[in-house]
Structure formats: C-alpha cells, structure tokens
Amino acid sequence: MSETILVEHLDSIALLTINRPDKLNALNSQVRDELLAELEKVENDDRLRVVVVTGAGEKSFIAGADIGEFEGRSAFDQRNAMRFPRIFDVMASFPKPVIAMINGFCLGGGCELAMSCDLRIASDKARFGQPEIKLGLIPGGGGTQRMPRLIGLGQAMRMMLTGDMIGADEALRLGLVEQVHPHGDLREKTLELAGRIAKMSPLTLRVAKEAVRASERLPIEEGILYERDLFCLCFSTEDKKEGVEAFLEKRAAQWKGR
Ligand code: COA
C-alpha cells in the first residue's frame, strides 16, 4: 500500500491521486517511488486500460518538486536522487494512455509531469508555471525539452525565463492543455474522456502512442517510415481484422487486445 498515492479502479480506468494536500502534493522521493510502483502494477493489470493522474484537495495538482529536499544537497546527491527510472520518462513511454487531470497548481515538476502525460485536462482554476528560475534552478524533469515541443520555443522561453504563472485559459490557447472544464466538472469530464479511450483496442492504443511519441525524437523522414512499419504491423492483429469487419458489417467492434 502506498502512503502518498490513492488508487481507485473505475472499470478499466486507474485513477492515481497524489495525496500530500498539506504540501500542495509536492513531489518528494517517496511520492516518486510510490507512483512508479503503482504504475508498474497498472502496467501488469490487463483490466486497466487508461491511467488518470491527479492531486488530492481542491487547490493543487502538483506544486513542483519538494523544495525542502533540495536544501543542503550536493550536485552528486542530486544526481543520485535523479537516477533512472525517472517518473517523467516512465509516463511518456508507458504502454497505456496517461491523462493528467489538473485540478489546481501545476508548477515546476508538476507541470513537467503533466507534460509527460499523453493528454492534459485542466480545471478552470488551474495555474501553470515553471518557477525554477526563482530558486536559482532550471527545470530538471524534461521541461526545457517537452515544453517547447508543446507550445513553441518562444512561449516556453517566456515561461522559463520569467517563472510567471499563467491561467487555464492561456494554457489552453498556448496548447499546454487540451481541454479546460469548470472546476466542479473536471472529474466527470476527464473520466468520460478516459472511458471513451479505454473502449479502444488496448493493443492499437499502445501502437498509436508509440508512433506519436516517436515524433519527439525522430526526424520527419524517419518518423514517417516508422509510422508505415507500425501501420503495417497492425495488419497482423486480430483487432485490425475485427475493426474492419465490424465497420463493413455496420456493428460495434469487439476488441480482443490481440
Ligand atoms: N515544495 C515543498 N513544499 C511546498 C511546495 C514545494 N514545491 N509548494 C508548496 N509547499 C508547501 C508550503 O511550504 C506550505 O507548507 P507549510 O504549510 O508547511 O508551510 C504548503 O505547501 C502550502 O503552501 P503555501 O505556500 O502556504 O500556499 P499558497 O497558496 O500561499 O502558495 C504556491 C501556493 C504554489 C504559490 C506556493 O506554495 C509556491 O510558490 N510553491 C512553490 C512552487 C515552486 O517553486 N515549485 C517548483 C519547485 S522546483
């Protein structure tokens, strides 16, 4: 049992809630380790198709790395604390879709964690920022690389050089989040979206995610070749046969995940 992660299984959705509301769900090493352990359980449970990550309480998704842990640390201590596997990379390459349900402050490592997810659904009360510059630091959870890919170099530069916070509407306009909902509707709307994704073939979801993720690292010519190979690989699955037959027979597909 995790002390810092609440786990709910809602049909085929795993809802993981970071539970340190008195510290605005700041990411300390215990949270990171327990989140990694819970993700491993979700990965190995075929009944669970989609992961939703959120923060406990009404105020915060994740207010960043736990700043208390930085005090007195040497560069080598910090390097050791950042050893692999890192939660950000695990989420980005996780074989099931991961959705950030952003219910409040989404700062520093919290914003980086959200950017490592496949989709970001935010409350209209959410606030976003990379305030590390104000601590004499830079983002260390992939923010300098993932944010420019999501919102463009200039806007990412603005966020990281000023440390300013932005609201949910601006985050939506910039492409930092995909949807914004009234605070009270956030859970229902996010679970509704997660539920629709969870109805797809888990095998095909995995291939789709892998193909899109490849665009983060491959030049376009190589990415397009990789996509072609993955597309053709789908022709070897029972789910492709079923999906095409179901369409032609005007019925709903029954996925097997094979
Ligand atoms: N690390 C450790 N503790 C944190 C934290 C963090 N990143 N963010 C908030 N907390 C703690 C506060 O120290 C406080 O603890 P306390 O009650 O024991 O004093 C508690 O969470 C509540 O935060 P508080 O600052 O009182 O809330 P607020 O509403 O006045 O301000 C923020 C909210 C988010 C603006 C403010 O907490 C903040 O700036 N946090 C740091 C954000 C940051 O720099 N993140 C990047 C880290 S690299």
Side-chain angles (χ1 to χ4, degrees), residues 22-24 26 59 63 65-67 70 105 107-108 131-132 135 165:
D22 53 326
K23 295 289 177 190
L24 304 186
K59 198 170 161 184
D66 190 317
I67 299 170
F70 290 162
F105 287 118
L107 303 173
E132 291 87 346
L135 300 169
M165 277 195 237

Side-chain angles (χ1 to χ4, degrees), residues 29 79 98 100 121 137 153-154 156 170 187 191 200 218 223:
S29 48
R79 185 77 190 262
V98 185
I121 313 301
L137 285 168
L153 190 130
E170 187 171 3
R187 182 179 159 113
L191 293 178
M200 304 299 166
L218 296 180

Side-chain angles (χ1 to χ4, degrees), residues 77-118:
D77 294 339
Q78 185 58 28
R79 185 77 190 262
N80 187 44
M82 292 170 84
R83 67 189 177 278
F84 299 113
R86 298 197 62 207
I87 188 68
F88 310 97
D89 305 327
V90 168
M91 293 178 103
S93 62
F94 198 70
K96 305 177 184 189
V98 185
I99 302 174
M101 182 164 93
I102 304 167
N103 55 312
F105 287 118
C106 182
L107 303 173
C111 193
E112 291 172 295
L113 191 126
M115 290 189 288
S116 306
C117 293
D118 302 311

